[in-house]
Amino acid sequence: MADHCNGSSHTSESFANIPPIKFTKLFINGNFVDSVSGKTFEAIDPRTGEAITRVSKGDKEDVDLAVKAARFAFDNGPWPRLSGSERGRILMKLADLIEENIEEIASLDAINGGKLFSLCKLIDIPNASMALRFYAGAADKIHGTVLKLSKGLHGYTLREPIGVVGAIIPWNFPTIMFFMKVAPALAAGCTIVVKPAEQTPLSALYYAHLAKLAGVPDGVLNVVNGYGETAGAAISSHMDIDKVSFTGSTEVGRKIMVAAATSNLKPVSLELGGKSPLLIFDDADVDEAANIAFNGTFFNKGEICVASSRIYVQEGIYDKIVDKLVEKAKALVVGDPFDPQVNQGPQADKKQFEKILSYIEHGKREGATLLTGGKHIGQKGYYIQPTIFADVKDDMIIAKNEIFGPVMSLMKFKTMEEGIKRANNTAYGLAAGIITKDLNVANTVSRSVRAGVVWINCYTVFDMDCPYGGYKMSGFGRDYGLDALNQYLQIKSVVTPIHDSPWH
Ligand code: NAD
């Protein structure tokens, strides 16, 4: 049971009946194997900072083996040659297996990522099976077009799988990120090597095991855990990988693009950081707006790329919104992610924990008003109070840099034009939100904000059919939707003369 302290709460009791960890090796060519070096690294429990288990540590040699297996499976194996509906059937089966094992998988992301066990079951894992079913359903609808060529020519396009994909993913949604890449890539007929984040290596291995049970052939899906500078860099610079799909920080995204450019010029798609604005207009319902803004910032302990980390509130409603948000932050229960009464678990790792606390210190030093929170909780683990700053100026570090934690910055604005200008005053362009009853305002702002997704009267709403991705330094390319499937396909034009057609 959580006990309250300073408006937030923290518990050290263990609520989890956590199943033993079954898979800790690399998954290459359909088998769990040790790394070539035999080295391992610790998977950490952010509730305590202590090790849960040790996991095989992949490096360049292991990436080479995984790429070799994926290359062989692509060039010679059945997967790209199956009909779309046959691939779809296997992906559907994988979705079923995931649902059958939901408790065990949810416990892996909760113990390793500090994510709420209840939300893993409610959101993350259902999202994975939805992605698999969405792309499974699309797999037999991949087709080209008939071209309208000059007289005497017949032509059409083929959409072919791009080849061997390298996927490098972050730790904040280990399950969702894995299937955001794997589901469309496999549906397209590609083979793939995934490098999960070093902070959250566990659930990906469980998915590799289930994929094998579902009938995904050997070599089609490979998982190489390891560090970014070694295993990740080996993927982005690999000469035999045909495409890299990356989700992570803007800084690393830049390195990946350089590595791709200086190796085999493979195409990359980059889903990067954000500093997303949410504009609340005077006509908004206070309770509803506060709920949307609060969840937009504090969902998943603020470790979400699209977090509404800049909240602009129109001056007429500002004070009421601020009061509501502070009330909600004080009521939020922070503690063990397995405790059903808890709303916010620990931050994912020590580095992230320290980074967030240092941003909070920046906010105080720069003169923003700390309304609530601002401290870590307890002596063990990576718990941080939900924190709200008011009177934030656009040029403060906390308004410009991505914090990726439970920290909200509140700013006041007067007119719609001012709101739009300040919303766009950022290097990023991942997401934006608008809360208003005025359709003209909603339409004008949504067309004026430079961001890959705009939510009107809602926030952090995801759907399989809706493409997500960035403008500006939030990257390029899209995940989800049919746009994501197209990123794993090549277009080939086929042209032939027709000499005897009466329709010349
Ligand atoms: P990160 O960029 O440090 O790491 C992401 C992945 O890249 C990890 O697997 C890591 O091992 C790997 N990596 C690190 N250095 C590498 C290198 N030199 N070469 C190849 N791979 C390397 O990011 P993070 O701290 O794990 O995640 C947080 C960041 O991810 C935030 O900036 C957040 O906004 C972003 N993110 C974006 C989205 C999105 O959809 N746009 C979603 C989630 C997270």
Side-chain angles (χ1 to χ4, degrees):
M1 189 68 64
D3 53 318
H4 288 255
C5 70
N6 295 335
S8 301
S9 324
H10 169 242
T11 174
S12 54
E13 286 175 45
S14 178
F15 288 82
N17 187 11
I18 300 160
I21 310 291
K22 291 182 187 149
F23 307 105
T24 57
K25 296 188 176 191
L26 309 178
F27 188 78
I28 298 177
N29 207 18
N31 297 304
F32 283 102
V33 294
D34 289 320
S35 58
V36 172
S37 68
K39 288 185 182 160
T40 57
F41 66 101
E42 287 179 336
I44 302 290
D45 177 352
R47 300 178 305 167
T48 59
E50 287 158 14
I52 308 161
T53 184
R54 295 192 73 88
V55 174
S56 289
K57 185 179 174 189
D59 207 330
K60 186 178 177 314
E61 294 75 20
D62 306 286
V63 169
D64 284 344
L65 290 175
V67 174
K68 203 170 161 199
R71 182 87 260 160
F72 187 85
F74 186 77
D75 291 343
N76 306 294
W79 190 253
R81 291 156 195 88
L82 289 178
S83 69
S85 63
E86 285 167 317
R87 282 200 301 274
R89 193 176 49 78
I90 292 172
L91 297 180
M92 293 273 190
K93 173 98 171 94
L94 177 53
D96 293 343
L97 288 174
I98 286 170
E99 284 171 358
E100 284 164 27
N101 291 278
I102 191 164
E103 294 278 326
E104 193 167 346
I105 304 169
S107 76
L108 294 177
D109 280 353
I111 195 176
N112 195 196
K115 295 170 66 71
L116 293 185
F117 179 61
S118 56
L119 282 191
C120 288
K121 287 198 291 180
L122 195 70
I123 295 175
D124 296 50
I125 296 163
N127 196 288
S129 42
M130 271 191 283
L132 283 163
R133 293 194 179 109
F134 179 86
Y135 291 107
D140 62 356
K141 296 165 195 75
I142 296 169
H143 50 71
T145 48
V146 176
L147 303 173
K148 184 99 182 70
L149 298 181
S150 318
K151 201 169 173 203
L153 291 175
H154 167 60
Y156 58 93
T157 58
L158 291 172
R159 284 186 174 264
E160 299 180 339
I162 203 163
V164 176
V165 174
I168 304 174
I169 56 175
W171 40 262
N172 56 340
F173 288 90
T175 288
I176 290 179
M177 295 294 154
F178 185 86
F179 284 104
M180 230 179 204
K181 314 291 188 197
V182 167
L186 294 197
C190 296
T191 59
I192 191 164
V193 177
V194 185
K195 196 207 80 64
E198 51 270 41
Q199 295 85 347
T200 50
L202 299 179
S203 55
L205 297 173
Y206 203 106
Y207 292 129
H209 154 72
L210 294 182
K212 182 159 177 145
L213 289 184
V216 173
D218 292 351
V220 170
L221 169 63
N222 305 273
V223 178
V224 179
N225 277 307
Y227 283 78
E229 306 75 37
T230 49
I235 288 178
S236 49
S237 61
H238 208 288
M239 292 300 286
D240 224 5
I241 287 183
D242 299 306
K243 183 213 159 63
V244 166
S245 180
F246 172 75
T247 298
S249 61
T250 297
E251 185 194 350
V252 173
R254 195 190 295 273
K255 289 186 188 169
I256 288 189
M257 219 171 149
V258 169
T262 49
S263 54
N264 60 345
L265 275 177
K266 59 181 82 58
V268 296
S269 47
L270 304 177
E271 300 282 344
L272 308 177
K275 191 72 190 174
S276 301
L278 170 64
L279 277 67
I280 304 175
F281 286 85
D282 277 345
D283 63 350
D285 176 85
V286 173
D287 287 326
E288 194 191 339
N291 274 339
I292 294 171
F294 193 79
N295 292 331
T297 306
F298 294 106
F299 175 61
N300 200 49
K301 14 162 190 150
E303 292 172 350
I304 175 161
C305 51
V306 294
S308 57
S309 47
R310 292 184 294 142
I311 309 277
Y312 291 97
V313 190
Q314 208 165 13
E315 56 186 358
I317 199 176
Y318 183 85
D319 290 340
K320 287 188 197 146
I321 292 282
V322 169
D323 289 348
K324 274 276 169 217
L325 288 169
V326 171
E327 191 186 303
K328 291 173 84 60
K330 286 187 170 159
L332 201 83
V333 183
V334 183
D336 190 317
F338 287 94
D339 180 345
Q341 295 195 22
V342 160
N343 312 116
Q344 181 182 300
Q347 306 308 135
D349 77 342
K350 187 160 188 276
K351 192 170 144 214
Q352 188 59 21
F353 172 74
E354 286 169 353
K355 183 176 132 191
I356 297 164
L357 290 174
S358 96
Y359 273 123
I360 292 173
E361 290 311 310
H362 268 298
K364 290 190 213 161
R365 268 205 304 278
E366 285 185 306
T369 309
L370 179 65
L371 295 179
T372 183
K375 296 198 182 93
H376 69 89
I377 307 171
Q379 296 312 311
K380 221 162 70 161
Y382 308 134
Y383 297 93
I384 296 183
Q385 293 176 330
T387 298
I388 300 184
F389 281 107
D391 308 316
V392 177
K393 304 274 178 299
D394 292 350
D395 59 354
M396 288 180 179
I397 285 173
I398 57 167
K400 289 201 297 195
N401 291 14
E402 184 180 45
I403 299 175
F404 224 58
V407 182
M408 178 182 269
S409 293
L410 287 165
M411 289 156 277
K412 201 187 280 187
F413 74 98
K414 285 193 170 75
T415 64
M416 179 181 74
E417 292 70 25
E418 179 199 340
I420 292 170
K421 198 167 168 209
R422 291 175 67 190
N424 280 331
N425 183 18
T426 169
Y428 295 111
L430 197 54
I434 308 156
I435 307 181
T436 179
K437 296 191 181 85
D438 186 328
L439 199 57
N440 286 331
V441 170
N443 285 332
T444 306
V445 179
S446 56
R447 279 162 173 71
S448 310
V449 171
R450 301 200 61 216
V453 57
V454 179
W455 285 296
I456 301 170
N457 295 330
C458 61
Y459 203 87
T460 334
V461 175
F462 285 90
D463 192 282
M464 289 304 136
D465 201 30
C466 183
Y468 297 93
Y471 279 38
K472 304 199 273 183
M473 283 173 73
S474 292
F476 50 84
R478 294 293 179 263
D479 279 322
Y480 285 157
L482 294 179
D483 295 272
L485 188 64
N486 287 337
Q487 293 185 170
Y488 299 98
L489 296 165
Q490 285 274 28
I491 297 182
K492 179 184 280 176
S493 295
V494 182
V495 179
T496 182
I498 309 179
H499 297 296
D500 302 325
S501 166
W503 306 108
H504 279 181

